Amino acid sequence: MSAALCRAHVVAAAAPLTRRRQVASRGKAPALVSAKRTTRSLVMARSALRNPEEVTSKAPTPSAISDTATVVLFDFDGTLGDTETPAMIVAFWELAPYFPEASVEYLSEECMRTYVRNNAGKAFEFMVDVVEEDRKKAGLPAIEEVRAAGAEDPLVLAHVNEQRAKSGLPTLEATRALGKDILTLQKDETVEALATLAKPCPNVPGVLADLKARGYDFSIATTSGKPRVPVSVVACEYEAYFPPEKIHSGESDFEPPRFKPDPSVYLLAAEKTAALPANSVAVEDSTSGVGSAANAKMGLIVGYVGGSHISDENEDGHAGTLMAGSRSDDGRGADIVVRDMRDLVPVVDHFKSAVESGEKAPVKFTRALLDGLVDKYWVDEARVVA
């Protein structure tokens, strides 16, 4: 039931883990975005919503695939961009009036935060299906029937509109004239919101600069559609690293869409980045994303728990689910999980050296490597060598 979605839950780790803390903090992403960046990304968002083809260009296929190059393929939401939380807040306040239990008291700040935490990384379509099923069980009409009739509880609607305004969104009454179903409305409003709210995950800009300086090529492999990700790339000031041809989308680059854990978007990203999957490093924050990378036979899968949508008290459980392999065909999970993105660089260097030396998968992690990481990590003890 929708009520259950507002309750916290903890998933135990499925593999033996090694954990370490140092005094280094997560770091903080910039609290404010520049007016210039905000204006540019907002203009892009509104233009792209009118003309989606502006941001859906696809990369040309390289003339040759390298047998030796190590590349890094990033998920975007919650990995490169701290977008999961603002996007999920938009989703919550679009669905909130239609929860069977909806009341001003029920739709509290804590309920919203718990919902965001428990559903981050899930497709909005899935969340709608859950609410529809709950409404059906409660003998209530479908969401679109309520929307078409304007039959939402007036007190709930006023409360929801007040919360939507915090993300720069119009009242739900004002959206009726647009004639959009809730799925289309959510996609468009998320793009508008992320144009101003998207920001880099902690330490990511410096990591991208470091990887580039070391000669690594990289691209984005995301389930999220266009223009959402290109607009977020602009808001995060990542254009120099990820021009449109470096952004690969399971939703927008395939017909019909292929959502993670389907491997297609990772296979596409590896091909367009001119690398073999076995020589590619995937960086993911979600179980479906780890499943996609595993199903694509990526050489190394690095889990990441440093996004704002993963609270400190939930990071152990989330790291455990990333390593558990519940969404992959062969049960493979993340090979290592890090909290600080700066630790990705030495891990990628280690993987590259292992591949070049002919080490067979799965790659082992040396104690020296792990001792040199700056923040907390999770790894199966069986993968650690002297």
Side-chain angles (χ1 to χ4, degrees):
M1 294 183 63
S2 300
L5 297 177
C6 284
R7 301 188 188 117
H9 68 279
V10 177
V11 181
L17 307 176
T18 247
R19 305 184 180 96
R20 181 168 139 283
R21 285 188 186 273
Q22 286 187 283
V23 294
S25 66
R26 279 191 189 200
K28 293 184 181 295
L32 299 175
V33 293
S34 69
K36 182 178 179 181
R37 175 180 19 145
T38 299
T39 300
R40 186 169 76 253
S41 57
L42 194 55
V43 169
M44 177 182 178
R46 290 169 179 166
S47 175
L49 288 174
R50 293 191 298 270
N51 304 290
E53 65 277 2
E54 291 182 0
V55 292
T56 56
S57 60
K58 297 181 181 179
T61 300
S63 57
I65 302 296
S66 171
D67 291 334
T68 58
T70 296
V71 303
V72 185
L73 308 178
F74 290 94
D75 174 52
F76 189 84
D77 296 301
T79 303
L80 289 174
D82 198 356
T83 55
E84 287 283 13
T85 297
M88 281 298 306
I89 290 172
V90 171
F92 177 82
W93 291 116
E94 281 169 347
L95 276 177
Y98 311 106
F99 293 165
E101 315 87 350
S103 68
V104 173
E105 295 73 25
Y106 178 77
L107 298 175
S108 65
E109 185 79 8
E110 181 57 31
C111 178
M112 183 270 289
R113 289 175 182 168
T114 303
Y115 188 92
V116 167
R117 184 169 61 246
N118 290 348
N119 289 278
K122 295 178 182 176
F124 186 67
E125 290 83 350
F126 168 81
M127 291 182 274
V128 171
D129 287 346
V130 171
V131 178
E132 292 282 27
E133 183 64 25
D134 290 347
R135 293 185 65 83
K136 183 177 180 180
K137 290 177 181 177
L140 298 172
I143 291 173
E144 291 302 334
E145 290 182 40
V146 177
R147 294 180 73 237
E152 297 92 345
D153 182 316
L155 293 177
V156 168
L157 208 56
H159 175 64
V160 167
N161 286 336
E162 181 180 344
Q163 300 303 316
R164 283 169 55 82
K166 296 177 182 178
S167 296
L169 300 176
T171 65
L172 283 176
E173 295 93 327
T175 67
R176 300 194 203 284
L178 301 174
K180 298 177 180 178
D181 61 36
I182 196 169
L183 295 176
T184 304
L185 182 67
Q186 182 268 341
K187 284 180 169 51
D188 291 352
E189 289 194 336
T190 298
V191 171
E192 285 264 356
L194 291 179
T196 57
L197 299 177
K199 59 186 178 183
C201 282
N203 298 318
V204 168
V207 168
L208 294 176
D210 197 357
L211 288 172
K212 184 175 182 179
R214 292 166 184 257
Y216 293 110
D217 199 1
F218 40 77
S219 61
I220 291 170
T222 179
T223 279
S224 297
K226 304 171 183 177
R228 169 177 168 158
V229 175
V231 165
S232 298
V233 164
V234 172
C236 292
E237 296 189 317
Y238 287 159
E239 305 102 301
Y241 300 116
F242 301 107
E245 64 271 16
K246 290 284 190 180
I247 303 172
H248 310 289
S249 164
E251 179 177 316
S252 300
D253 290 345
F254 300 91
E255 184 57 47
R258 298 181 186 176
F259 298 116
K260 297 174 181 178
D262 185 292
S264 297
V265 71
Y266 269 110
L267 293 174
L268 176 67
E271 176 188 3
K272 299 299 186 182
T273 317
L276 296 172
N279 294 343
S280 301
V281 178
V283 187
E284 275 286 351
D285 73 309
S286 72
T287 55
S288 59
V290 167
S292 175
N295 293 337
K297 307 300 181 186
M298 296 287 107
L300 184 72
I301 304 173
V302 179
Y304 174 66
V305 295
S308 68
H309 61 295
I310 303 171
S311 63
D312 289 345
E313 60 267 26
N314 287 333
E315 63 185 19
D316 285 336
H318 194 79
T321 63
L322 295 179
M323 297 179 69
S326 62
R327 302 300 302 279
S328 62
D329 293 341
D330 61 1
R332 179 187 175 192
D335 298 294
I336 187 170
V337 178
V338 300
R339 184 172 69 173
D340 192 315
M341 193 63 81
R342 290 175 295 178
D343 286 328
L344 175 67
V345 178
V347 169
V348 172
D349 283 344
H350 175 78
F351 173 72
K352 180 175 184 289
S353 296
V355 170
E356 289 175 347
S357 67
E359 181 179 337
K360 294 183 179 180
V363 169
K364 303 287 187 181
F365 301 101
T366 65
R367 181 60 61 188
L369 166 70
L370 299 176
D371 286 345
L373 300 183
V374 301
D375 202 357
K376 191 174 180 180
Y377 64 84
W378 295 256
V379 67
D380 189 334
E381 289 280 10
R383 299 281 294 276
V384 181
V385 295

PDB file of all heavy atoms in Angstrom, residues 122 138 160-161 175 238 320 369 376 382:
ATOM      1  N   LYS A 122      13.583   4.313  -8.892  1.00  0.00           N
ATOM      2  CA  LYS A 122      12.492   3.570  -9.524  1.00  0.00           C
ATOM      3  C   LYS A 122      11.810   4.426 -10.588  1.00  0.00           C
ATOM      4  O   LYS A 122      11.736   5.650 -10.472  1.00  0.00           O
ATOM      5  CB  LYS A 122      11.471   3.138  -8.478  1.00  0.00           C
ATOM      6  CG  LYS A 122      12.004   2.153  -7.457  1.00  0.00           C
ATOM      7  CD  LYS A 122      10.957   1.799  -6.413  1.00  0.00           C
ATOM      8  CE  LYS A 122      11.536   0.852  -5.365  1.00  0.00           C
ATOM      9  NZ  LYS A 122      10.557   0.562  -4.286  1.00  0.00           N
ATOM     10  N   ALA A 138      -8.851  -0.202  -2.574  1.00  0.00           N
ATOM     11  CA  ALA A 138      -9.668   0.616  -1.676  1.00  0.00           C
ATOM     12  C   ALA A 138     -11.018   0.996  -2.289  1.00  0.00           C
ATOM     13  O   ALA A 138     -11.809   1.715  -1.674  1.00  0.00           O
ATOM     14  CB  ALA A 138      -8.902   1.886  -1.301  1.00  0.00           C
ATOM     15  N   VAL A 160      -0.772  20.316  -1.212  1.00  0.00           N
ATOM     16  CA  VAL A 160       0.139  19.841  -2.257  1.00  0.00           C
ATOM     17  C   VAL A 160       0.647  21.010  -3.095  1.00  0.00           C
ATOM     18  O   VAL A 160       1.838  21.098  -3.421  1.00  0.00           O
ATOM     19  CB  VAL A 160      -0.563  18.788  -3.132  1.00  0.00           C
ATOM     20  CG1 VAL A 160       0.242  18.508  -4.397  1.00  0.00           C
ATOM     21  CG2 VAL A 160      -0.771  17.499  -2.343  1.00  0.00           C
ATOM     22  N   ASN A 161      -0.244  21.928  -3.443  1.00  0.00           N
ATOM     23  CA  ASN A 161       0.171  23.080  -4.250  1.00  0.00           C
ATOM     24  C   ASN A 161       1.217  23.926  -3.531  1.00  0.00           C
ATOM     25  O   ASN A 161       2.152  24.454  -4.151  1.00  0.00           O
ATOM     26  CB  ASN A 161      -1.037  23.935  -4.607  1.00  0.00           C
ATOM     27  CG  ASN A 161      -1.911  23.293  -5.661  1.00  0.00           C
ATOM     28  OD1 ASN A 161      -1.442  22.462  -6.440  1.00  0.00           O
ATOM     29  ND2 ASN A 161      -3.184  23.656  -5.682  1.00  0.00           N
ATOM     30  N   THR A 175      -2.389  22.887 -14.215  1.00  0.00           N
ATOM     31  CA  THR A 175      -1.881  21.918 -15.194  1.00  0.00           C
ATOM     32  C   THR A 175      -2.992  21.232 -15.977  1.00  0.00           C
ATOM     33  O   THR A 175      -2.721  20.607 -17.003  1.00  0.00           O
ATOM     34  CB  THR A 175      -1.034  20.836 -14.493  1.00  0.00           C
ATOM     35  OG1 THR A 175      -1.875  20.029 -13.641  1.00  0.00           O
ATOM     36  CG2 THR A 175       0.075  21.459 -13.672  1.00  0.00           C
ATOM     37  N   TYR A 238      28.479  20.294 -16.892  1.00  0.00           N
ATOM     38  CA  TYR A 238      29.244  19.146 -17.361  1.00  0.00           C
ATOM     39  C   TYR A 238      29.372  19.113 -18.890  1.00  0.00           C
ATOM     40  O   TYR A 238      29.831  18.106 -19.447  1.00  0.00           O
ATOM     41  CB  TYR A 238      28.545  17.851 -16.943  1.00  0.00           C
ATOM     42  CG  TYR A 238      28.616  17.488 -15.483  1.00  0.00           C
ATOM     43  CD1 TYR A 238      27.670  16.615 -14.941  1.00  0.00           C
ATOM     44  CD2 TYR A 238      29.611  17.963 -14.636  1.00  0.00           C
ATOM     45  CE1 TYR A 238      27.707  16.232 -13.610  1.00  0.00           C
ATOM     46  CE2 TYR A 238      29.656  17.597 -13.303  1.00  0.00           C
ATOM     47  CZ  TYR A 238      28.706  16.730 -12.788  1.00  0.00           C
ATOM     48  OH  TYR A 238      28.749  16.351 -11.465  1.00  0.00           O
ATOM     49  N   GLY A 320      24.878  -2.866   0.630  1.00  0.00           N
ATOM     50  CA  GLY A 320      24.623  -4.302   0.603  1.00  0.00           C
ATOM     51  C   GLY A 320      23.734  -4.722  -0.543  1.00  0.00           C
ATOM     52  O   GLY A 320      23.973  -5.745  -1.195  1.00  0.00           O
ATOM     53  N   LEU A 369      45.687  -0.764  -2.114  1.00  0.00           N
ATOM     54  CA  LEU A 369      44.691   0.076  -2.783  1.00  0.00           C
ATOM     55  C   LEU A 369      43.630   0.518  -1.788  1.00  0.00           C
ATOM     56  O   LEU A 369      43.311   1.715  -1.692  1.00  0.00           O
ATOM     57  CB  LEU A 369      44.039  -0.697  -3.934  1.00  0.00           C
ATOM     58  CG  LEU A 369      42.750  -0.071  -4.509  1.00  0.00           C
ATOM     59  CD1 LEU A 369      43.072   1.205  -5.281  1.00  0.00           C
ATOM     60  CD2 LEU A 369      42.000  -1.070  -5.390  1.00  0.00           C
ATOM     61  N   LYS A 376      34.900   5.803   3.265  1.00  0.00           N
ATOM     62  CA  LYS A 376      34.319   4.495   3.524  1.00  0.00           C
ATOM     63  C   LYS A 376      34.099   3.730   2.218  1.00  0.00           C
ATOM     64  O   LYS A 376      33.729   4.302   1.193  1.00  0.00           O
ATOM     65  CB  LYS A 376      32.994   4.687   4.261  1.00  0.00           C
ATOM     66  CG  LYS A 376      32.377   3.433   4.830  1.00  0.00           C
ATOM     67  CD  LYS A 376      31.150   3.799   5.655  1.00  0.00           C
ATOM     68  CE  LYS A 376      30.496   2.579   6.260  1.00  0.00           C
ATOM     69  NZ  LYS A 376      29.317   2.929   7.059  1.00  0.00           N
ATOM     70  N   ALA A 382      36.527 -11.773   0.219  1.00  0.00           N
ATOM     71  CA  ALA A 382      37.132 -12.789  -0.640  1.00  0.00           C
ATOM     72  C   ALA A 382      37.834 -12.170  -1.842  1.00  0.00           C
ATOM     73  O   ALA A 382      38.644 -12.845  -2.515  1.00  0.00           O
ATOM     74  CB  ALA A 382      36.063 -13.773  -1.122  1.00  0.00           C
TER      75      ALA A 382
END
